[in-house]
Amino acid sequence: MSDDRRRSEVWKFFKVIESNQEKKKVECSMCYTELTYSGGSTGTMTNHLRLKHSEVFTASQARDRSTRSCKYNFIRRPNQPIIVSHSSLMAKDEWEKCTAKLATMCAFDLRPVSIVEGTGFKEFIKELNPLYEIPDRATVAHFVRLQYEEEKQALRAKLANQVGMAFTLDLWVSVATEAYITVTAHFLDENWELNNCILATREVEEQHTGLNISTEIRKLLTEFDIPENKIYGLVTENSANMVNCGNGLGWPQVKCFGHTLQLSIRGAFDEVRALSDTIAAAKMLVAYFHGSSSATLELQSQQKQLELSENILITDCTSRWNTTFNMFECLVRERLNIQAVLNCPEVTKSSDAAKLKLSDSQWAIIEAMVPVLRPLHVATRIMCSQEYPTLSGVYPILCSLKNQHLRVKETDIEAVADFKRIVVSVLEMCYNTTDEVLCQDPTLICTFLDPRYKSLLFLKPSQREAIRAQVVSYMQSDGPPGQSRSLRSSAKRLKREHSQSDMAFLLGEYYQDGDDSDSSPTPEEELGQYILSKAVPTAVNPVVWWKENAPSFPAVAKLARKFLCIPATSVPSERVFSTAGDTLTKLRASLDPDTVGELIFMNKVLRMKEPQQDTDETLSAEREDTVTLQHQSIIKQEDCSL
């Protein structure tokens, strides 16, 4: 019997293994039992299914009564692939549910949709559920898009209810040399929960100019129905095209603290010759252990003899200055073990050991730099957090770094002292508080709205007054264009006073009210009450404080929701790089850019829905780091100026 004449559903589970004119043999694909049949009758196979595989037989009979096959035809929308029809013994809703889970798996684990074409995957699904008809890659991509559109609509609705938000923005290039732009949104919702979400990852086909990037951002605003007046901060790195993008959009722009710190520290590394030579020598030493299995085994043997944990030496990465700190810290910890390996002639040649051994002066620099780099490392970790507001801590942390951790001491060796001076000089240039025109800086506004730092001791009295006046202006302008809150309240008060004076004229002095003043405080009065409120320890999460105290300062609280959501770094968009790297490997470099964006978007959405397990210990450690760095916050004003 030819394949096109085998219309019975039982042929889904049998294949012909022997055929001649007298008899034919078939094999069950589930239990590999061989059966004989003749004359085109499938009764033997049907009986086998009924007796040995009753579940499959029942489903098959149910499908035969309803329809000979099940076709899944999806309407093709613009920019979507054509979905190939599928037939299955499984009920339609059950098949769609399974396929939706398959699409979710691809997004959550960042697997390519082409996984459905793998032989191993097909065999696994066949063993797991023979009734399930595996869809093709276009169908899986379609289901990913359906989930993406659903989650995107939910995010659009959520963003519509926010009083303000901030964006982070960054560019990156895939292994296929395709440029992508990633945009993330951050906001404090009505429950004072800090939300961090990805808006989109899009391919940038034009030149990466500030104008082209700003055009893509405006398209994104239209797509999500976000008014531009709700954007209170745009966080980017300090490159020229990003600065031009911010200028073109006209939004308050925040320089990435992490990028600024990277430039200042790496610049100091390069400028101090003794330090750069030490880093190069240390990298060569670490590279030797990474490239020699015998040296690595001997190092592990030394660690075991001293009952130490097995630590792998860390090398320096030019684009991440904190790896230099990690490398130095690891070398100090493993110094004796490293020297033992280099002194072992069975492992290291004497000529190689002479080249690899660090000098006493280089070891002195490494040991002296570890305590200097540690607070900078902690500051970077704090500022890259997404669990609590970070922008408000920039100036207090800079103040503490300058006046405590990076202050030059008489005992500092020359290389360390030069490093401190250069880093402080660059940071002072990037965050210049001597400038009188600072009142519109989102970083300072955010610092003032953080109850831990509202005193602004690192500023001059005139600058503090300018910041407070700007905050009052923001509070008053939260109304219809052309009319501030103070003007509206004044108009209402005049109208009420006029009506009360008429009643007093008619009813006489015995019926006059004792107090006809406006009971609600003015913006200046409410802000004054906020300033005079009890000081808050640096370990307190400002969002938690505002959630409890918002009813006492409603206008200031509303402004705090708009500014405290601004992150200090563009790390949220940069973290997408690692996700994108998992998605756009060399094996998947041909993925459609739209599919790339949808997979990354869904991955972040699904990850956010995953239960958090590490927050308590992590937040506790980060709060301790914050206290350590910011314990200099409440000190004399003249000691705080940057």
Side-chain angles (χ1 to χ4, degrees):
M1 184 184 294
S2 60
D3 290 341
D4 58 349
R5 293 178 59 191
R6 293 175 186 154
R7 299 181 180 180
S8 174
E9 294 291 338
V10 299
W11 286 108
K12 292 280 185 180
F13 312 101
F14 290 89
K15 63 179 180 179
V16 177
I17 60 174
E18 183 180 334
S19 178
N20 54 50
Q21 294 181 353
E22 296 180 359
K23 60 179 181 179
K24 298 179 181 179
K25 284 188 177 182
V26 294
E27 182 182 75
C28 176
S29 59
M30 291 178 286
C31 65
Y32 306 105
T33 300
E34 296 182 5
L35 302 176
T36 302
Y37 87 103
S38 61
S41 174
T42 58
T44 304
M45 291 181 281
T46 302
N47 291 334
H48 176 79
L49 290 177
R50 184 177 68 253
L51 296 174
K52 300 295 184 180
H53 311 288
S54 57
E55 183 180 351
V56 173
F57 176 77
T58 303
S60 178
Q61 293 299 307
R63 295 297 294 165
D64 279 336
R65 284 193 296 267
S66 59
T67 178
R68 297 294 297 180
S69 63
C70 178
K71 300 293 184 180
Y72 299 96
N73 298 307
F74 299 96
I75 300 175
R76 184 180 182 231
R77 294 183 295 176
N79 300 324
Q80 286 188 326
I82 298 176
I83 307 303
V84 181
S85 298
H86 292 275
S87 60
S88 174
L89 292 175
M90 192 177 282
K92 179 178 179 180
D93 57 346
E94 187 177 356
W95 182 87
E96 290 181 343
K97 182 179 179 180
C98 291
T99 306
K101 282 293 183 181
L102 176 58
T104 301
M105 182 204 74
C106 290
F108 190 87
D109 295 335
L110 290 174
R111 302 298 180 190
V113 293
S114 59
I115 190 175
V116 296
E117 298 175 350
T119 303
F121 180 81
K122 291 179 179 179
E123 291 296 324
F124 170 71
I125 295 299
K126 181 179 179 181
E127 182 69 23
L128 189 66
N129 191 342
L131 297 179
Y132 180 65
E133 183 75 19
I134 300 176
D136 60 13
R137 60 191 300 176
T139 304
V140 177
H142 175 79
F143 273 80
V144 170
R145 183 165 293 114
L146 291 178
Q147 296 176 12
Y148 164 76
E149 292 293 345
E150 181 180 353
E151 293 293 345
K152 180 180 175 181
Q153 183 61 34
L155 178 59
R156 184 188 290 113
K158 191 172 185 178
L159 292 174
N161 297 325
Q162 306 310 316
V163 296
M165 64 192 73
F167 285 176
T168 72
L169 171 66
D170 217 330
L171 278 166
W172 52 277
V173 180
S174 71
V175 294
T177 64
E178 295 171 333
Y180 287 85
I181 185 173
T182 294
V183 183
T184 63
H186 310 265
F187 56 90
L188 279 164
D189 60 25
E190 59 277 5
N191 297 319
W192 289 94
E193 295 289 337
L194 186 58
N195 291 257
N196 308 284
C197 56
I198 182 171
L199 288 186
T201 298
R202 301 284 171 81
E203 183 183 14
V204 182
E205 298 179 354
E206 304 292 336
Q207 288 186 341
H208 310 158
T209 63
L211 178 61
N212 291 334
I213 297 172
S214 62
T215 300
E216 291 296 325
I217 300 300
R218 284 204 163 91
K219 290 179 182 178
L220 201 59
L221 292 183
T222 303
E223 191 174 323
F224 280 88
D225 298 328
I226 301 175
E228 288 196 38
N229 59 7
K230 282 191 176 183
I231 311 300
Y232 282 79
L234 175 66
V235 187
T236 67
E237 61 177 17
N238 304 330
S239 59
N241 58 345
M242 289 299 177
V243 173
N244 292 335
C245 171
N247 294 335
L249 292 169
W251 302 344
Q253 192 162 10
V254 177
K255 64 186 70 172
C256 173
F257 179 80
H259 189 250
T260 303
L261 208 57
Q262 163 73 15
L263 293 177
S264 62
I265 296 174
R266 187 57 69 180
F269 286 162
D270 296 338
E271 192 167 338
V272 180
R273 178 66 181 271
L275 191 52
S276 61
D277 290 345
T278 300
I279 294 174
K283 288 179 66 175
M284 186 169 63
L285 176 61
V286 173
Y288 166 72
F289 280 89
H290 286 182
S292 173
S293 59
S294 58
T296 301
L297 290 174
E298 181 63 23
L299 179 64
Q300 294 173 352
S301 175
Q302 294 290 333
Q303 293 169 342
K304 290 179 180 179
Q305 290 179 14
L306 297 176
E307 297 182 351
L308 301 175
S309 58
E310 294 185 5
N311 295 308
I312 300 175
L313 299 183
I314 301 172
T315 191
D316 171 73
C317 176
T318 305
S319 61
R320 299 181 182 274
W321 77 264
N322 53 313
T323 58
T324 306
F325 165 72
N326 294 330
M327 180 177 68
F328 280 0
E329 190 177 44
C330 191
L331 288 175
V332 171
R333 184 174 58 248
E334 301 294 333
R335 179 177 180 176
L336 295 178
N337 296 327
I338 291 173
Q339 290 177 338
V341 175
L342 295 180
N343 292 331
C344 180
E346 292 81 8
V347 177
T348 308
K349 295 179 181 180
S350 58
S351 58
D352 292 336
K355 297 177 182 178
L356 294 171
K357 286 183 178 179
L358 301 177
S359 65
D360 291 340
S361 61
Q362 289 175 331
W363 277 115
I365 290 176
I366 291 174
E367 292 176 346
M369 284 298 298
V370 169
V372 174
L373 293 175
R374 180 172 286 111
L376 295 169
H377 174 73
V378 173
T380 302
R381 188 173 64 184
I382 292 173
M383 291 293 99
C384 292
S385 174
Q386 296 188 61
E387 303 298 331
Y388 50 82
T390 53
L391 186 62
S392 59
V394 168
Y395 279 102
I397 286 178
L398 288 173
C399 174
S400 179
L401 289 174
K402 175 192 173 184
N403 294 285
Q404 178 69 19
H405 305 288
L406 295 179
R407 175 175 287 179
V408 178
K409 302 175 183 178
E410 293 182 358
T411 56
D412 287 338
I413 60 178
E414 183 179 359
V416 173
D418 291 343
F419 172 82
K420 289 181 176 180
R421 293 190 190 97
I422 294 171
V423 172
V424 170
S425 175
V426 174
L427 292 177
E428 285 180 336
M429 181 177 61
C430 295
Y431 297 93
N432 182 16
T433 56
T434 60
D435 189 355
E436 293 295 334
V437 187
L438 287 173
C439 60
Q440 293 185 349
D441 183 359
T443 306
L444 286 173
I445 298 295
C446 190
T447 305
F448 176 68
L449 293 173
D450 189 324
R452 301 172 295 176
Y453 317 123
K454 61 179 184 285
S455 58
L456 300 177
L457 291 177
F458 51 86
L459 295 179
K460 299 176 183 178
S462 60
Q463 293 174 323
R464 293 200 293 268
E465 289 302 320
I467 294 294
R468 293 166 184 171
Q470 184 63 49
V471 171
V472 170
S473 174
Y474 284 142
M475 295 167 65
Q476 292 175 338
S477 63
D478 189 20
Q483 186 182 33
S484 68
R485 176 178 296 182
S486 60
L487 292 177
R488 297 197 306 274
S489 60
S490 299
K492 292 180 180 179
R493 184 165 59 252
L494 289 173
K495 184 176 181 179
R496 183 166 60 252
E497 290 175 352
H498 180 72
S499 175
Q500 290 173 344
S501 63
D502 290 341
M503 291 298 293
F505 172 75
L506 289 174
L507 300 179
E509 60 180 349
Y510 299 104
Y511 295 93
Q512 292 184 16
D513 294 333
D515 185 10
D516 60 354
S517 62
D518 190 356
S519 59
S520 60
T522 64
E524 293 85 351
E525 292 171 343
E526 182 178 320
L527 194 64
Q529 294 171 4
Y530 164 70
I531 294 173
L532 295 175
S533 61
K534 185 178 179 180
V536 179
T538 54
V540 172
N541 188 331
V543 172
V544 175
W545 186 91
W546 270 116
K547 186 175 182 179
E548 297 173 353
N549 294 273
S552 301
F553 317 106
V556 183
K558 187 175 182 180
L559 201 61
R561 277 184 62 192
K562 299 176 180 179
F563 280 91
L564 288 179
C565 64
I566 306 175
T569 69
S570 58
V571 166
S573 54
E574 292 175 3
R575 280 179 176 152
V576 177
F577 295 5
S578 60
T579 300
D582 292 336
T583 305
L584 287 175
T585 61
K586 291 182 179 180
L587 294 176
R588 314 172 199 168
S590 60
L591 273 176
D592 178 72
D594 290 339
T595 303
V596 172
E598 291 161 6
L599 283 171
I600 293 174
F601 180 93
M602 285 303 304
N603 176 266
K604 295 302 179 183
V605 169
L606 295 170
R607 292 290 179 181
M608 285 191 295
K609 293 180 178 180
E610 191 178 19
Q612 300 295 321
Q613 300 176 349
D614 59 16
T615 47
D616 290 342
E617 294 183 0
T618 302
L619 290 179
S620 176
E622 288 179 342
R623 279 195 291 268
E624 290 178 4
D625 292 339
T626 305
V627 174
T628 301
L629 278 176
Q630 300 169 354
H631 74 283
Q632 296 288 318
S633 296
I634 307 177
I635 51 181
K636 293 182 180 180
Q637 173 190 337
E638 57 267 22
D639 294 334
C640 273
S641 61
L642 290 174

